[in-house]
Amino acid sequence: MISIVIPILNEADTIEKLLFHLIDNASLQNIQEIIVIDGGSTDGSQEIVENLDLKVRLIHSKKGRAKQMNIGASVARGEILYFLHADSFPPTHYDKYIIDEVKQNNQAGCFRLTFNNNHWWLRLASWLTQFSWRACRGGDQSQFITKALFEDIGGFNESYTIYEDNILINELYKRNEFVVINKKIETSDRLYKRHGIWKLQYHFWAIYLKKWFGASANDLHVYYKKNIG
């Protein structure tokens, strides 16, 4: 069964919609639990989760997606972990697609991506995510992984304040343990709206190249805070 792990920080605008989406688009016998790990929200996100008439576990944590997701994984009871951003909505029957891959001995992977924006560049970027190229991977595509493999890797590297998803993905690629499910998860364009498509894409490329050439976790965080926030 699947344990869904969602780190949040001030996600009052999306968390309720996402939780209902997850329940409405899956066979609940495949879902062990939904775990929401809050990193100190001040916008009412915690209260929204607590007041919903849903069987969702709310856990409190220090800020930091890697820390939050590791805590969620540590208490998860499912054999499969499914890490999901609060503004990304997986396809109908996402649970079945994930379980089918694990049954085929694919222990980790993600979905293709689509944005809620029809800009040609975002459509192109989305189209590229169907391919297995590591450069086309990111946390917005979500991440399923068997709990056994996740624990063997050692979880998310908590020294990374950003880019933690890609560090885990890099390890999975080294082990040849990654598959892209040819179904689309829809994610928000909110960062692109805030910063502008070309400016944000430039900074994402810069972060990717900095890591490629050996930048430290702190170097990446400093760059992100300066240019993206």
Side-chain angles (χ1 to χ4, degrees):
M1 295 181 73
I2 301 171
S3 290
I4 303 172
V5 180
I6 309 169
I8 67 169
L9 179 64
N10 295 328
E11 295 288 359
D13 291 340
T14 63
I15 190 60
E16 180 175 355
K17 180 181 177 183
L18 174 61
L19 292 175
F20 279 110
H21 176 90
L22 292 172
I23 291 170
D24 291 341
N25 288 277
S27 299
L28 294 185
Q29 64 264 29
N30 292 330
I31 306 300
Q32 177 77 47
E33 61 203 340
I34 301 175
I35 305 170
V36 175
I37 310 95
D38 183 78
S41 295
T42 57
D43 68 342
S45 295
Q46 299 174 32
E47 291 77 12
I48 290 172
V49 175
E50 289 173 331
N51 292 332
L52 290 176
D53 188 21
L54 302 173
K55 293 183 178 179
V56 177
R57 300 172 67 186
L58 177 64
I59 296 174
H60 302 281
S61 165
K62 291 183 178 179
K63 177 182 175 181
R65 272 209 311 252
K67 293 184 179 70
Q68 291 169 245
M69 290 188 288
N70 280 342
I71 288 173
S74 71
V75 301
R77 298 186 293 262
E79 300 90 359
I80 304 169
L81 304 173
Y82 183 44
F83 297 101
L84 184 66
H85 290 185
D87 63 342
S88 294
F89 293 77
T92 302
H93 307 309
Y94 65 90
D95 56 313
K96 179 181 182 299
Y97 298 132
I98 291 171
I99 290 171
D100 285 348
E101 292 296 338
V102 174
K103 285 180 177 177
Q104 296 176 54
N105 203 33
N106 292 318
Q107 297 188 66
C110 69
F111 289 100
R112 289 179 60 179
L113 186 68
T114 187
F115 287 93
N116 62 343
N117 185 314
N118 204 38
H119 187 279
W120 73 266
W121 172 255
L122 297 183
R123 285 191 286 114
L124 175 60
S126 300
W127 181 79
L128 290 171
T129 63
Q130 69 185 290
F131 301 108
S132 61
W133 307 325
R134 185 167 56 178
C136 295
R137 304 280 74 83
D140 287 335
Q141 293 171 256
S142 68
Q143 173 73 62
F144 79 84
I145 181 170
T146 61
K147 190 169 187 182
L149 178 56
F150 183 78
E151 291 176 345
D152 185 60
I153 289 173
F156 289 97
N157 187 334
E158 295 184 9
S159 65
Y160 283 84
T161 308
I162 66 160
Y163 212 70
E164 73 290 331
D165 298 297
N166 293 76
I167 298 301
L168 178 67
I169 290 168
N170 288 346
E171 180 60 33
L172 291 171
Y173 269 80
K174 288 178 186 176
R175 298 180 180 219
N176 198 28
E177 286 284 3
F178 205 93
V179 64
V180 180
I181 301 174
N182 193 26
K183 299 292 179 179
K184 295 178 181 178
I185 182 170
E186 181 179 288
T187 195
S188 169
D189 65 345
R190 59 188 181 180
L191 267 183
Y192 286 96
K193 282 184 175 178
R194 187 182 309 162
H195 297 284
I197 288 175
W198 301 118
K199 180 180 178 182
L200 183 63
Q201 195 62 60
Y202 168 82
H203 290 311
F204 281 162
W205 280 333
I207 289 169
Y208 179 83
L209 289 173
K210 283 177 178 291
K211 182 65 182 70
W212 182 269
F213 287 109
S216 68
N218 185 63
D219 291 337
L220 298 181
H221 181 230
V222 168
Y223 184 91
Y224 184 93
K225 290 295 290 183
K226 178 181 178 182
N227 296 288
I228 301 175

